[in-house]
Amino acid sequence: AQSVAQPEDQVNVAEGNPLTVKCTYSVSGNPYLFWYVQYPNRGLQFLLKYITGDNLVKGSYGFEAEFNKSQTSFHLKKPSALVSDSALYFCAVRLYNTDKLIFGTGTRLQVFP
Amino acid sequence: GAGVSQSPRYKVTKRGQDVALRCDPISGHVSLYWYRQALGQGPEFLTYFNYEAQQDKSGLPNDRFSAERPEGSISTLTIQRTEQRDSAMYRCASSSTGFSYEQYFGPGTRLTVT
């Protein structure tokens, strides 16, 4: 079955330090991968996507993600975290022959000053 | 331009009542999606439309749930004879058509069934 896993419920990082939010997937066929962020009382906001091409994808607010086919991972990264990055982050996958997104359970990122 | 809007933002209803949730997509977006998100979970796919045609309704939990998009723009998700287990955040998203396009989400409707 197609699935997305976010193994960490919460990630804590000090402001200015690099951050990583992990995501692994299990799908048949080529995956289209997405990261979304959810701030309190707000809708999900699109951050970045991997469709094809370079394995390192750059997105909004200085975030980037690396697609690793052999490890079936799509980890979200940022070189220097900000307190304002604190939010709930969701990884999602869309299969080549469908239009629906399958989401992970989310990872809460807490950046401490 | 304006993003995806949903109404109402909050809905409290008594068990057994019918509710209708509305989604107004981004202008020009062909595809419209409905998701349900339980507390502490990621959004779960319910159904989606291309224009007015319902393409996939495999995520609708049972026949009490239905959706329509009669003119290819605004969509309504209807839940008949609501039950407490229907309480959740219902999210709508829209996108341009095509697998590579990202979906843009609305603020959601928080449904509480008492």
Side-chain angles (χ1 to χ4, degrees), chain A residues 27-67:
Chain A
V27 301
S28 54
N30 294 321
Y32 293 167
L33 295 156
F34 302 80
W35 274 101
Y36 284 83
V37 60
Q38 183 176 345
Y39 296 100
N41 300 316
R42 304 269 303 270
L44 279 77
Q45 295 180 30
F46 168 75
L47 272 181
L48 50 79
K49 64 183 177 183
Y50 173 81
I51 303 300
T52 187
D54 289 341
N55 290 340
L56 185 63
V57 177
K58 294 187 183 297
S60 306
Y61 311 121
F63 283 92
E64 57 189 29
E66 186 169 11
F67 172 65

Side-chain angles (χ1 to χ4, degrees), chain B residues 18-83:
Chain B
D18 298 350
V19 295
L21 311 181
R22 172 186 165 128
C23 173
D24 196 345
I26 292 172
S27 178
H29 275 186
V30 167
S31 302
L32 185 148
Y33 309 82
W34 284 99
Y35 293 85
R36 180 169 68 175
Q37 186 175 13
L39 203 61
Q41 299 294 318
E44 179 184 26
F45 171 81
L46 295 176
T47 185
Y48 90 94
F49 296 81
N50 281 341
Y51 300 100
E52 72 282 357
Q54 192 170 20
Q55 300 292 325
D56 184 340
K57 56 181 182 179
S58 62
L60 296 177
N62 50 62
D63 60 7
R64 295 186 297 106
F65 288 73
S66 63
E68 62 175 7
R69 194 186 184 196
E71 297 179 359
S73 179
I74 293 169
S75 176
T76 302
L77 176 70
T78 301
I79 309 173
Q80 295 179 311
R81 305 181 302 282
T82 53
E83 301 177 4

Side-chain angles (χ1 to χ4, degrees), chain A residues 32 36 38 49 94 100, chain B residues 91 99-103:
Chain A
Y32 293 167
Y36 284 83
Q38 183 176 345
K49 64 183 177 183
R94 183 156 75 186
K100 55 188 176 185
Chain B
R91 297 196 184 275
F99 299 123
S100 66
Y101 287 102
E102 57 272 19
Q103 297 175 18

Side-chain angles (χ1 to χ4, degrees), chain B residues 6-14 17-22 77 79 82 86-90 108-114:
Chain B
Q6 292 185 245
S7 60
R9 293 290 309 276
Y10 302 91
K11 177 69 176 178
V12 180
T13 190
K14 293 187 184 300
Q17 297 294 306
D18 298 350
V19 295
L21 311 181
R22 172 186 165 128
L77 176 70
I79 309 173
T82 53
D86 300 334
S87 297
M89 176 72 81
Y90 288 83
T109 295
R110 168 72 68 188
L111 175 65
T112 301
V113 182
T114 61

Side-chain angles (χ1 to χ4, degrees), chain B residues 83-98:
Chain B
E83 301 177 4
Q84 285 188 324
R85 59 178 172 159
D86 300 334
S87 297
M89 176 72 81
Y90 288 83
R91 297 196 184 275
C92 174
S94 70
S95 76
S96 298
T97 190

Side-chain angles (χ1 to χ4, degrees), chain A residues 4-7 21-25 33 35 72-75 91-92:
Chain A
V4 174
Q6 293 183 243
V21 182
K22 296 180 180 177
C23 172
T24 59
Y25 64 91
L33 295 156
W35 274 101
T72 63
S73 68
F74 189 56
H75 300 333
C91 180

